[in-house]
């Protein structure tokens, strides 16, 4: 029986030690900044990105990986005798899944499954981790796919941005378009739902918006367990730490299986802007 190799993309931005331990492979999206192109998570780190962003006269744009980039990864893994499960950022936010699908077609006889996560960051990342853990235990490609799909079906992603400017400019604003043009001091609370960004609420101050974010998150969890919890942040690590402690305090410790704090990748940060924080979970895994 072939071993299953799990592939994702750089927007998952999983902790590097977990990726190495579970043999997870990733294909980077691209950040285009003036005349320079960076591979997300390889040529530019979140720290470098958020340090440069406030002082830049030009704003970065983003691009999906090419089918050729996926073919290189797939060919290497197939050559080593692996089946492949490839899990990627929502098709409603990026064309990455199209590139993966095109690459898949170059190997018509190979065991490759491509999943549109309809999510990103740790909303997708938990599914990647669960599939990779199953693969480590000898699960088949079909079993790993089922596990990933279950994790995705039981995950939700909520986030709070300082401004809608970056989402609006990047064309990723989705249902949050309704909030554009409202009072500038209102802080929008958003959800990644069915692969698109949707507006949930808007609150006048940042601290009250954080309170509301936690309240919405707690309501969404609604007794579901066991929980895997992630806090996401775009150059707001101290705030993310405080948010994690706050969230952990409202749940029974025995109901929490895993927690992690993850920086938002530069490609995602180009659309959320600095200061964004988010909460995600997957339950029942």
């Amino acid at each position: 029986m072939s071993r299953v190799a799990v592939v994702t993309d750089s927007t998952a931005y999983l902790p590097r030690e977990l990726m190495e331990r579970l043999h997870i492979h990733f294909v980077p999206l691209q950040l285009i900044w003036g005349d320079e192109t960076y591979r997300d998570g390889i040529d530019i780190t979140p720290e470098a990105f958020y340090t440069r962003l406030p002082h830049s006269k030009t704003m970065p744009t983003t691009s999906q990986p090419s089918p050729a980039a996926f073919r290189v990864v797939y060919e290497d893994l197939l050559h080593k005798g692996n089946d492949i499960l490839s899990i990627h950022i929502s098709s409603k936010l990026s064309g990455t899944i199209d590139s993966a699908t095109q690459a898949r077609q170059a190997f018509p006889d190979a065991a490759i499954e491509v999943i549109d996560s309809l999510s990103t960051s740790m909303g997708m990342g938990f599914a990647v981790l669960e599939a990779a853990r199953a693969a480590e235990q000898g699960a088949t490609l079909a079993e790993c796919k089922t596990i990933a799909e279950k994790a995705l079906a039981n995950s939700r992603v909520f986030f709070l941005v300082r401004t809608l400017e970056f989402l609006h400019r990047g064309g990723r604003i989705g249902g949050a378009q309704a909030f554009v043009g409202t009072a500038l001091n209102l802080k929008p609370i958003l959800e990644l739902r069915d692969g698109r960004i949707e507006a949930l609420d808007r609150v006048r101050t940042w601290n009250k918006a954080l309170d509301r974010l936690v309240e919405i998150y707690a309501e969404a969890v609604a007794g579901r367990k066991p929980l895997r919890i992630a806090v996401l942040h775009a150059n707001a690590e101290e705030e993310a730490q405080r948010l994690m402690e706050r969230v952990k305090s409202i749940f029974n410790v025995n109901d929490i299986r895993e927690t992690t704090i993850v920086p938002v990748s530069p490609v995602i940060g180009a659309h959320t802007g600095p200061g964004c924080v988010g909460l995600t979970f997957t339950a029942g895994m």
Side-chain angles (χ1 to χ4, degrees), residues 29-32 60-64 93 170 172 266-271:
L29 276 72
Q30 296 182 325
L31 186 78
I32 303 161
T61 59
T62 61
S63 177
Q64 69 205 54
L93 298 176
R172 303 304 199 279
V267 157
I268 297 299
H271 297 290

Side-chain angles (χ1 to χ4, degrees), residues 95-109:
T96 297
I97 201 79
D98 292 333
S99 293
T101 301
Q102 288 180 52
R104 163 71 182 88
Q105 293 167 356
F107 308 98
D109 299 322

Side-chain angles (χ1 to χ4, degrees), residues 4-278:
V4 177
V6 177
V7 179
T8 188
D9 59 69
S10 58
T11 69
Y13 218 87
L14 294 165
R16 190 56 59 96
E17 63 274 12
L18 275 177
M19 294 186 70
E20 292 174 355
R21 188 191 319 152
L22 294 171
H23 308 288
I24 296 167
H25 307 266
F26 81 96
V27 178
L29 276 72
Q30 296 182 325
L31 186 78
I32 303 161
W33 213 334
D35 296 329
E36 300 172 292
T37 299
Y38 301 92
R39 293 171 297 171
D40 190 31
I42 297 177
D43 301 324
I44 188 164
T45 64
E47 293 80 7
F49 173 75
Y50 293 115
T51 297
R52 177 176 170 182
L53 187 63
H55 310 289
S56 178
K57 294 180 180 178
T58 59
M59 289 294 102
T61 59
T62 61
S63 177
Q64 69 205 54
S66 67
F70 279 99
R71 284 198 300 271
V72 169
V73 173
Y74 290 172
E75 186 171 29
D76 178 63
L77 292 172
L78 292 170
H79 180 72
K80 293 174 180 175
N82 296 287
D83 293 343
I84 298 171
L85 181 62
S86 205
I87 307 171
H88 300 290
I89 181 175
S90 171
S91 59
K92 298 175 184 178
L93 298 176
S94 169
T96 297
I97 201 79
D98 292 333
S99 293
T101 301
Q102 288 180 52
R104 163 71 182 88
Q105 293 167 356
F107 308 98
D109 299 322
I112 304 174
E113 293 283 356
V114 177
I115 294 178
D116 181 354
S117 73
L118 294 177
S119 190
T120 190
S121 192
M122 284 304 294
M124 173 175 75
F126 279 130
V128 172
L129 290 175
E130 289 303 292
R133 286 167 176 149
E136 286 286 291
Q137 297 300 313
T140 66
L141 178 58
E143 290 168 339
C144 290
K145 182 183 179 184
T146 297
I147 287 166
E149 289 174 338
K150 180 181 177 182
L152 290 168
N154 288 282
S155 296
R156 294 182 72 177
V157 180
F158 306 95
F159 60 107
L160 176 60
V161 294
R162 295 279 180 177
T163 172
L164 289 171
E165 173 191 356
F166 292 88
L167 285 168
H168 184 52
R169 185 171 53 205
R172 303 304 199 279
I173 199 161
Q177 179 71 41
F179 285 174
V180 174
T182 58
L184 294 178
N185 61 337
L186 292 179
K187 305 303 176 187
I189 300 171
L190 309 170
E191 180 182 6
L192 190 54
R193 187 191 314 149
D194 297 325
R196 298 176 74 248
I197 294 169
E198 300 292 350
L200 290 180
D201 205 348
R202 46 189 171 176
V203 183
R204 187 160 298 279
T205 69
W206 182 257
N207 286 337
K208 289 182 178 179
L210 285 170
D211 291 342
R212 180 64 179 137
L213 176 66
V214 172
E215 183 179 82
I216 289 170
Y217 185 76
E219 290 170 355
V221 170
R224 300 164 72 182
K225 58 183 180 181
L227 287 171
R228 300 184 188 276
I229 296 170
V231 175
L232 321 170
H233 71 92
N235 199 34
E237 186 170 3
E238 289 186 6
E239 191 155 58
Q241 293 280 1
R242 291 192 296 270
L243 191 56
M244 176 63 82
E245 290 306 313
R246 185 172 176 183
V247 168
K248 285 166 63 177
S249 73
I250 64 178
F251 299 114
N252 187 320
V253 66
N254 295 322
D255 294 340
I256 301 174
R257 182 162 291 176
E258 181 178 13
T259 63
T260 186
I261 296 175
V262 180
V264 171
S265 79
V267 157
I268 297 299
H271 297 290
T272 65
C276 168
V277 292

